[in-house]
């Protein structure tokens, strides 16, 4: 388990992380979503032991991770622009990682390269961006680490390959103690693989919840109020995140359980109403919009 | 899974990433160190000349001596330059991953303690140079061996090459850790070069200020002094060059120097490790990693540049020297501050950087310049109080350094050269009262004009063990006061000893006048003439006479003494007008003709004689 407590990190005058507290359970895929510059990469680097926290701490399996080689051996970090040795091939990279991760599974590495159609003796510099990402994931899986930190790893992968990587993760989680932590903007991709999601905004965690629970807690309601019903009083009955009006149709995103919504709607008896499920992307937009992250009006 | 990866494995893995460094090191050392060296040894072996100052030695000995000289001098110089260049390359490219964010992520995410990574990278950088250097030395040794094995040079060669290889190792390590320090203080290549320059040259610049700038503003500062050299040796690069000098000229009395250098290297290694351990990963690509260090460096560079440029302006200006030195100092300060700000901030936009720091640097520069201008609080006039003095040592630096036979140097040796005899570092403790009076007079006469003057170094030996050095000019107005020096026991002991050496019975003696008419003397004539010369010499033994000879040089004749059949080197004894006994002997007993010449000179070199 990764416990992040009151984590604070500054770069000169910029606060990258501010009082971040979160808990990442083992055996689940954790999705880290956030606005641009929210501190996702900083958080991952701190978890990987690359950055030393200014305040607070990051504990992996109960111990602080910075300069803790035992723990760092359990973590593999794939950066958004992974470094490969100059002039190296996948084989050279594998040999390199074998030195530092003695549990490196060579057989699996070769097998996975074969499946993904990556030539182990071809220079990495000739690989496309997507191929480099695939190679990073393959290495990340084969080093045998418990936690795999992926920073924007799905970007640059084609849809088929994204599915393949997801299957790899699931397969790996079935086989051994494996916890991928994936930071991404591609929320649709995270939605069908992550079980737990953390949302970062401006260096702080907005929430960190189970995805299903989160989806169960936020709904979109569309309704047409009765002619003599006060629209405002209807809206005030809910914890509204966003709302819009199209003719007489009101669309609201509200934070409430399905049962609560249903009972209130029955009570308010509008002309028409329905509850729609929210996508992760919609949740992200709604949650960040509440925090002022809204660029709907870009008229200059 | 274990994270205890052995140091050797890390070293091996890291070497695979930088194969080009050991490859370059090996190729360079083999090409420059061995191939060129082999060619030179081949040339030396086939040379037919031999040293003319020692005709008794065999040709084989001369060849062996040549080879020995090549092995311990030329080879050492080449290897030393390679060592310093290698130290720079190895330091820079072992740790330059710190300048790239992706590489930092890559390295610092690895399950390795930073101490261990630092150790592995440092040892690797050392071995990349050491192993090829060792092989090169072994090969060079075996190239030399066939030529020197039958002579006494075999033992000497083994010893010298071992000592010099050790010195090379020390040189390499010192420069290497200085450069590592420069890298660790920086976040990019440009600031690394700046930091390396600052780390390596800061004390050199201070040394320059001491020796050059201080002398520009003062009249009595010492240029060459052991303590200053030691001070300069604290800086890695000049220290390495100093160490190089030890390797070149032998270890005699220089062990202390080596120990200081080793200590400085260790301190730099420890600081480097500390910086590496505590370096924040996010500082890559920045100009300066540590703000306080950046500020300190900025002030140091600014102030030093201000003082240097101020003194340069002072030197170049004809009038209003104080004004121009202040203008120069301010210009130097602004230029240096802007430049260093641009480098450290990796941006030219805000070239004045931190304004408070800028104002501080300018103020310190201006104050320092004012201190210089105002005579360093009476530096030139300062003489310790007499009651605090144990003794006064006067070191006359120049008496007749005109190719005659009375040269006084400062490196503690008395030796022959082709110009005559040189007496060095005659450590003369003069009577305190006379010495003090002379010092006071020299201070008083600082601004006097005089017909002629020579300079001398005065060492005030304080009762508390401290020594204060000053350099003064002796002027003709008080030349008689210098007799206290000449009459001091220490001086007489050295002077007379050398004077006697001049009268070692030579193998041949010639006399020549100003028209180049000469005579070759018989043994009897030579004895008689030299006796006259010695008598004249004794009768003119005073400072005034010696200085007058120096400045009013009007030799009537010259005596040339030859000590071997080669005719060279010889000792030349000038005969001034006041050497009446000698002149009388020549004019009454010798017939000078234009056909007479040294019977030995150029005997074996007809082409040169022609």
């Amino acid at each position: 388990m990764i416990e992040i407590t009151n984590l604070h990190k500054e770069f000169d005058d910029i606060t990258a992380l501010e009082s971040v507290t979160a808990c990442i359970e083992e055996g689940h895929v954790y999705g880290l979503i956030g606005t641009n510059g929210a501190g996702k990469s900083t958080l991952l680097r701190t978890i990987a032991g690359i950055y030393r926290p200014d305040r607070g701490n990051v504990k992996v399996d109960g111990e602080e991770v910075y300069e803790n080689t035992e723990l760092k051996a359990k973590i593999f970090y794939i950066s958004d622009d992974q470094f490969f040795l100059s002039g190296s091939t996948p084989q050279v990279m594998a040999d390199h990682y074998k030195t530092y991760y003695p549990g490196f599974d060579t057989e699996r590495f070769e097998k996975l390269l074969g499946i993904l159609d990556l030539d182990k003796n071809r220079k990495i510099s000739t690989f496309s961006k997507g191929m480099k990402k695939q190679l990073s994931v393959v290495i990340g899986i084969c080093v045998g680490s418990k936690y795999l930190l992926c920073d924007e790893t799905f970007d640059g992968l084609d849809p088929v390959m994204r599915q393949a990587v997801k299957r790899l993760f699931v397969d790996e989680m079935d086989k051994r103690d494996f916890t991928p932590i994936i930071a991404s903007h591609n929320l649709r991709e995270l939605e069908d693989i992550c079980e737990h999601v953390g949302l970062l905004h401006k260096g702080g965690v907005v929430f960190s919840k189970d995805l299903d629970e989160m989806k169960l807690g936020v709904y979109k309601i569309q309704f047409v109020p009765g002619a003599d019903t006060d629209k405002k009083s209807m809206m005030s009955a809910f914890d509204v995140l966003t709302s819009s009006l199209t003719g007489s149709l009101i669309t609201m995103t509200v934070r409430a359980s399905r049962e609560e919504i249903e009972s209130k709607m029955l009570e308010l008896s509008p002309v028409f109403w329905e509850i729609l499920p929210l996508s992760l992307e919609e949740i992200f937009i709604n949650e960040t919009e509440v925090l002022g992250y809204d660029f709907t009006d870009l008229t200059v | 899974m274990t994270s205890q990866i052995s140091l050797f494995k890390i070293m091996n893995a890291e070497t695979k990433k930088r194969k080009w460094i050991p490859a370059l090191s090996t190729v360079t050392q083999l090409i420059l160190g061995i191939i060129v060296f082999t060619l030179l040894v081949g040339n030396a072996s086939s040379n037919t000349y031999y040293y003319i100052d020692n005709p008794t030695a065999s040709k084989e000995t001369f060849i062996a001596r040549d080879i020995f000289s090549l092995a311990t001098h030329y080879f050492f110089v080449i290897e030393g330059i390679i060592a310093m260049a290698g130290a720079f390359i190895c330091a820079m490219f072992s740790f330059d991953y710190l300048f790239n964010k992706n590489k930092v992520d890559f390295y610092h995410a690895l399950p390795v303690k930073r101490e261990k990574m630092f150790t592995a990278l440092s040892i690797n950088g050392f071995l990349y140079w050491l192993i090829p250097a060792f092989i090169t030395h072994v090969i060079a040794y075996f190239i030399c061996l066939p030529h020197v094995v039958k002579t006494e040079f075999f033992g000497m060669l083994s010893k010298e090459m071992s000592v010099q290889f050790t010195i090379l190792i020390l040189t390499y390590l010192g420069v290497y850790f200085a450069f590592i320090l420069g890298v660790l203080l920086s976040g990019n290549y440009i600031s690394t070069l700046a930091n390396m320059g600052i780390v390596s040259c800061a004390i050199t610049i201070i040394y320059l200020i001491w020796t050059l700038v201080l002398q520009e503003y003062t009249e009595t500062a010492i240029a060459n002094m052991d303590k200053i050299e030691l001070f300069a040796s604290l800086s890695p690069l000049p220290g390495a060059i100093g160490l190089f000098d030890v390797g070149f000229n032998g270890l005699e009395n220089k062990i202390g120097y080596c120990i200081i250098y080793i200590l400085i290297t260790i301190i730099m290694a420890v600081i480097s490790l500390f910086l590496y351990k505590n370096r924040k990963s996010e500082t890559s690509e920045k100009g300066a990693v540590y703000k306080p260090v950046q500020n300190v460096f900025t002030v140091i560079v600014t102030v030093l540049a201000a003082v240097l440029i101020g003194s340069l302006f002072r030197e170049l200006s004809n009038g209003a020297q104080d004004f121009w030195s202040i203008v120069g100092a301010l210009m130097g300060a602004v230029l240096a501050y802007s430049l260093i700000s641009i480098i450290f901030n990796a941006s030219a936009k805000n070239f004045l950087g931190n304004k408070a720091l800028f104002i501080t640097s300018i103020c310190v520069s201006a104050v320092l310049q004012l201190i210089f201008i105002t005579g360093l609080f009476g530096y030139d006039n300062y003489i310790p109080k007499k009651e605090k003095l144990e003794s006064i040592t006067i070191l006359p630096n120049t008496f007749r350094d005109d190719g005659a036979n009375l040269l006084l140097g400062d490196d503690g040796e008395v030796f022959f050269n082709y110009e005559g005899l040189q007496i060095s570092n005659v450590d003369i403790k003069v009577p305190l009262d006379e010495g003090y009076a002379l010092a006071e007079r020299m201070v008083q006469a600082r601004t006097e004009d005089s017909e002629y003057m020579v300079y001398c170094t005065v060492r005030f030996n304080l009762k508390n063990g401290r020594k204060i050095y000053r350099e003064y000019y002796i002027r003709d107005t008080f030349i008689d006061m210098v007799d206290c020096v000449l009459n001091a026991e220490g001086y007489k002991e050295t002077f007379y000893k050398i004077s006697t050496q001049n009268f070692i019975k030579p193998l041949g003696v010639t006399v020549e006048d100003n028209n180049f008419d000469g005579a070759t003397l018989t043994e009897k004539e030579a004895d008689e003439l030299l006796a006259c010369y010695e008598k004249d010499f004794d009768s003119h033994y005073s400072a005034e006479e010696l200085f007058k000879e120096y400045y009013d040089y009007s030799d009537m004749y010259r005596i040339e003494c030859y000590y071997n059949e080669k005719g060279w080197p010889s000792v030349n004894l000038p005969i001034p007008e006041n050497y009446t006994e000698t002149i009388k002997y020549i004019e009454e007993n010798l017939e000078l003709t234009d056909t007479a010449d040294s019977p030995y000179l150029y005997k074996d070199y007809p082409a040169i004689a022609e």
Side-chain angles (χ1 to χ4, degrees):
Chain A
M1 186 170 68
I2 298 172
E3 293 165 282
I4 302 157
T5 313
N6 205 21
L7 183 64
H8 194 93
K9 184 73 191 169
E10 281 181 13
F11 301 133
D12 293 332
D13 304 331
I14 300 161
T15 303
L17 296 174
E18 191 174 11
S19 303
V20 172
T21 300
C23 181
I24 301 172
E25 298 285 346
E26 297 173 28
H28 302 286
V29 182
Y30 189 90
L32 192 60
I33 57 176
T35 53
N36 289 329
K40 299 186 294 295
S41 298
T42 304
L43 181 59
L44 287 188
R45 285 190 178 100
T46 313
I47 295 170
I50 297 168
Y51 289 167
R52 187 204 294 260
D54 291 337
R55 286 199 298 277
N57 58 59
V58 176
K59 285 186 176 175
V60 176
D61 296 345
E63 287 182 63
E64 294 228 21
V65 71
Y66 188 78
E67 278 294 87
N68 187 330
T69 51
E70 293 286 339
L71 285 185
K72 282 173 90 172
K74 293 182 183 177
I75 301 167
F76 189 82
Y77 170 66
I78 302 172
S79 85
D80 54 346
D81 185 12
Q82 184 73 358
F83 171 73
F84 296 103
L85 300 172
S86 171
S88 64
T89 61
Q91 185 62 56
V92 169
M93 289 309 298
D95 291 341
H96 176 265
Y97 280 113
K98 269 184 225 171
T99 306
Y100 296 100
Y101 297 89
F104 192 93
D105 189 341
T106 309
E107 200 181 321
R108 188 158 165 72
F109 177 73
E110 288 180 0
K111 205 171 164 183
L112 287 174
L113 286 187
I115 292 168
L116 298 173
D117 202 19
L118 297 171
D119 183 353
K120 68 175 182 179
N121 295 315
R122 184 175 150 188
K123 287 208 169 179
I124 297 170
S125 55
T126 65
F127 281 13
S128 69
K129 186 182 170 190
M131 290 163 87
K132 286 179 185 170
K133 294 268 180 186
Q134 289 169 41
L135 178 61
S136 302
V137 171
V138 170
I139 291 171
I141 287 172
C142 294
V143 293
S145 62
K146 182 175 172 183
Y147 300 97
L148 181 65
L149 313 180
C150 305
D151 195 355
E152 309 286 354
T153 305
F154 286 88
D155 296 0
L157 293 180
D158 63 57
V160 176
M161 199 49 69
R162 278 203 291 267
Q163 291 307 316
V165 170
K166 283 176 193 172
R167 276 200 299 277
L168 271 177
F169 283 176
V170 173
D171 187 35
E172 205 63 21
M173 286 168 75
D174 285 344
K175 281 183 188 166
R176 65 182 177 92
D177 189 5
F178 182 64
T179 306
I181 297 153
I182 306 164
S184 181
H185 288 117
N186 197 334
L187 305 180
R188 286 206 179 86
E189 296 305 328
L190 289 183
E191 195 167 10
D192 55 2
I193 186 172
C194 293
E195 296 151 79
H196 211 93
V197 170
L199 172 62
L200 274 177
H201 181 64
K202 290 185 178 173
V205 171
V206 176
F207 60 73
S208 175
K209 286 180 186 170
D210 188 273
L211 191 61
D212 291 337
E213 184 190 317
M214 186 164 49
K215 282 184 176 177
L216 291 174
V218 182
Y219 290 93
K220 189 193 279 183
I221 317 165
Q222 285 188 329
F223 64 95
V224 178
D228 52 348
T229 313
D230 179 16
K231 287 175 195 170
K232 280 187 181 173
S233 66
M234 272 195 84
M235 286 172 72
S236 64
F238 295 97
D239 179 5
V240 181
L241 296 174
T242 59
S243 64
S244 63
L245 180 66
T246 313
S248 56
L249 181 69
I250 297 171
T251 307
M252 294 193 306
T253 308
V254 299
R255 203 192 299 276
S257 68
R258 194 177 186 93
E259 291 75 25
E260 277 179 302
I261 296 168
E262 282 173 350
S263 83
K264 281 186 182 171
M265 278 298 169
L266 289 171
E267 200 178 302
L268 295 165
S269 36
V271 178
F272 158 80
W273 67 277
E274 66 174 342
I275 301 173
L276 301 169
L278 274 172
S279 68
L280 183 57
E281 191 162 304
E282 284 170 315
I283 296 172
F284 176 82
I285 291 168
N286 288 327
E287 292 286 354
T288 53
E289 207 175 294
V290 172
L291 297 166
Y293 194 65
D294 178 13
F295 296 97
T296 48
D297 184 11
L298 290 174
T299 313
V300 181
Chain B
M1 186 188 298
T2 172
S3 61
Q4 294 305 312
I5 305 148
S6 76
L7 187 68
F8 179 74
K9 273 191 172 179
I10 299 171
M11 285 165 61
N12 191 29
E14 294 305 315
T15 300
K16 283 179 186 166
K17 294 178 199 166
R18 302 173 180 83
K19 286 178 204 153
W20 66 273
I21 303 179
L24 178 70
S25 174
T26 308
V27 170
T28 310
Q29 295 198 51
L30 284 178
I31 288 177
L32 286 178
I34 294 298
I35 298 179
V36 177
F37 179 65
T38 309
L39 292 173
L40 286 168
V41 168
N43 279 342
S45 306
S46 58
N47 273 341
T48 52
Y49 72 86
Y50 51 99
Y51 286 116
I52 55 177
D53 63 347
N54 191 349
T56 56
S58 67
K59 184 180 174 184
E60 286 70 28
T61 304
F62 284 118
I63 291 171
R65 188 188 288 186
D66 261 8
I67 307 282
F68 177 79
S69 178
L70 279 174
T72 55
H73 287 75
Y74 170 79
F75 185 61
F76 180 67
V77 170
I78 290 283
E79 282 295 295
I81 292 167
I82 292 173
M84 290 193 210
F88 169 74
I89 290 170
C90 291
M92 181 72 114
F93 294 102
S94 292
F95 290 92
D96 71 334
Y97 80 84
L98 293 166
F99 303 158
N100 181 295
K101 279 182 180 164
N102 289 336
K103 288 184 186 176
V104 168
D105 285 351
F106 174 79
Y107 270 91
H108 290 179
L110 295 173
V112 181
K113 284 257 183 204
R114 289 209 187 181
E115 295 98 310
K116 201 177 235 182
M117 185 58 87
F118 178 83
T119 310
L121 293 174
S122 303
I123 295 175
N124 269 353
F126 177 46
L127 293 180
Y128 295 156
W129 167 80
L130 181 72
I131 294 169
F134 181 74
I135 294 167
T136 307
H137 270 76
V138 169
I139 295 172
Y141 182 77
F142 283 105
I143 289 171
C144 296
L145 211 53
H147 301 281
V148 299
V149 74
K150 289 177 185 172
T151 72
E152 72 276 18
F153 292 105
F154 169 60
M156 284 169 68
L157 183 70
S158 311
K159 188 187 158 199
E160 281 299 310
M161 286 190 84
S162 309
V163 168
Q164 295 198 341
F165 188 62
T166 310
I167 297 278
L168 277 179
I169 291 174
L170 297 183
T171 306
Y172 181 88
L173 286 174
V175 178
Y176 180 55
F177 279 109
F179 285 155
I180 288 178
L181 203 53
V183 173
L184 295 179
L185 290 170
S186 324
N188 59 41
Y189 288 101
I190 296 175
S191 65
T192 299
L193 293 174
N195 281 334
M196 281 178 174
I198 294 165
V199 169
S200 297
C201 298
I203 299 177
T204 310
I205 296 169
I206 293 170
Y207 172 69
L208 279 177
I209 284 176
W210 188 266
T211 56
L212 300 178
V213 180
L214 200 62
Q215 289 205 357
E216 180 59 36
Y217 292 98
T218 62
E219 290 154 359
T220 63
I222 302 292
N224 298 307
M225 198 167 67
D226 286 350
K227 277 186 181 175
I228 298 172
E229 284 168 6
L230 195 64
F231 183 55
S233 76
L234 299 178
S235 176
L237 200 58
I241 293 165
L243 198 66
F244 208 62
D245 181 59
V246 174
F248 203 82
N249 294 316
L251 267 172
E252 288 167 23
N253 305 320
K254 300 280 180 69
I255 295 288
Y257 186 97
C258 294
I259 291 169
I260 289 174
Y261 192 77
I262 291 167
L263 285 175
I264 290 165
T265 304
I266 292 169
I267 290 167
M268 286 193 299
V270 172
I271 293 173
S272 300
L273 173 61
F274 175 80
L275 292 179
Y276 184 83
K277 267 186 76 176
N278 292 287
R279 187 187 165 102
K280 289 182 173 179
S281 301
E282 59 268 28
T283 52
S284 61
E285 298 172 19
K286 279 185 177 179
V289 175
Y290 302 94
K291 278 275 176 194
V293 175
Q294 175 184 340
N295 293 344
V296 170
F297 274 17
T298 304
V299 174
I300 289 174
V301 170
T302 306
V303 170
L304 294 182
V307 172
L308 277 172
I309 295 178
S311 65
L312 188 68
F313 271 48
R314 187 184 180 88
E315 173 73 29
L316 295 175
S317 59
N318 285 326
Q321 283 192 316
D322 292 347
F323 169 76
W324 284 112
S325 59
I326 287 280
V327 170
L330 291 175
M331 275 182 66
V334 172
L335 277 173
Y337 187 90
S338 309
L339 190 65
I340 207 84
S341 288
I342 289 168
I343 290 171
F344 280 150
N345 297 323
S347 163
K349 279 184 184 171
N350 188 11
F351 67 93
L352 287 185
N354 181 339
K355 286 185 178 55
L357 195 67
F358 174 68
I359 292 165
T360 308
S361 305
I362 296 288
C363 290
V364 173
S365 304
V367 167
L368 205 60
Q369 202 64 23
L370 284 171
I371 290 172
F372 278 124
I373 288 171
T374 52
L376 284 169
F377 307 116
Y379 178 92
D380 282 328
N381 295 321
Y382 175 73
I383 295 180
K385 283 182 181 165
K386 200 172 174 184
E387 55 269 25
K388 288 184 180 174
L389 289 175
E390 176 78 38
S391 62
I392 292 178
T393 302
I394 297 192
L395 308 145
N397 293 333
T398 51
F399 281 167
R400 298 182 57 176
D401 56 350
D402 55 351
N405 58 344
L406 296 173
L407 290 173
L408 301 176
D410 56 4
D411 58 356
E413 287 180 5
V414 177
F415 57 93
F416 260 112
N417 76 357
Y418 68 93
E419 290 178 317
L421 288 166
Q422 292 192 354
I423 312 167
S424 298
N425 203 15
V426 185
D427 192 8
I428 315 148
K429 282 188 180 165
V430 298
L432 189 58
D433 288 342
E434 280 126 309
Y436 198 82
L438 176 60
E440 282 183 320
R441 186 70 186 86
M442 287 191 286
V443 168
Q444 190 191 347
R446 278 195 309 113
T447 53
E448 282 179 12
D449 284 329
S450 61
E451 189 183 340
Y452 60 80
M453 56 187 182
V454 291
Y455 69 91
C456 72
T457 304
V458 178
R459 190 172 70 215
F460 299 99
N461 307 307
L462 271 65
K463 285 175 182 164
N464 62 10
R466 225 180 114 219
K467 290 175 174 43
I468 294 168
Y469 289 79
R470 287 288 187 276
E471 193 170 85
Y472 300 112
Y473 284 96
I474 302 168
R475 296 170 192 277
D476 55 347
T477 48
F478 55 96
I479 194 72
D480 54 322
M481 292 180 80
V482 184
D483 285 341
C484 72
V485 177
L486 298 184
N487 291 320
E489 285 304 313
Y491 190 82
K492 273 187 174 176
E493 201 176 297
T494 314
F495 190 81
Y496 279 123
K497 193 172 78 184
I498 289 160
S499 184
T500 310
Q501 275 186 23
N502 281 324
F503 302 105
I504 291 171
K505 194 169 181 178
L507 208 58
V509 175
T510 63
V511 171
E512 193 180 63
D513 65 12
N514 288 334
N515 297 320
F516 303 106
D517 291 339
T520 303
L521 277 62
T522 62
E523 193 177 338
K524 182 173 173 285
E525 286 170 336
D527 288 346
E528 287 169 356
L529 180 69
L530 291 175
C532 291
Y533 186 88
E534 194 161 4
K535 203 171 166 187
D536 278 332
F537 185 84
D538 282 341
S539 65
H540 295 287
Y541 179 70
S542 74
E544 191 165 5
E545 291 285 337
L546 288 168
F547 286 131
K548 270 190 176 171
E549 277 178 28
Y550 177 65
Y551 283 98
D552 305 333
Y553 192 80
S554 56
D555 291 348
M556 303 265 306
Y557 301 97
R558 283 175 302 283
I559 300 174
E560 197 84 19
C561 302
Y562 303 98
Y563 293 88
N564 61 52
E565 289 186 350
K566 298 287 122 198
W568 187 85
S570 63
V571 170
N572 182 294
L573 305 173
I575 309 169
E577 291 156 332
N578 53 358
Y579 276 37
T580 50
E581 289 277 331
T582 316
I583 292 169
K584 190 180 168 194
Y585 181 86
I586 292 169
E587 289 177 348
E588 287 180 0
N589 299 290
L590 303 176
E591 188 183 346
L592 307 186
T593 65
D594 59 356
T595 53
D597 206 343
S598 161
Y600 312 111
L601 193 59
Y602 309 131
K603 184 182 163 194
D604 292 338
Y605 306 97
I608 298 172
E610 256 176 53

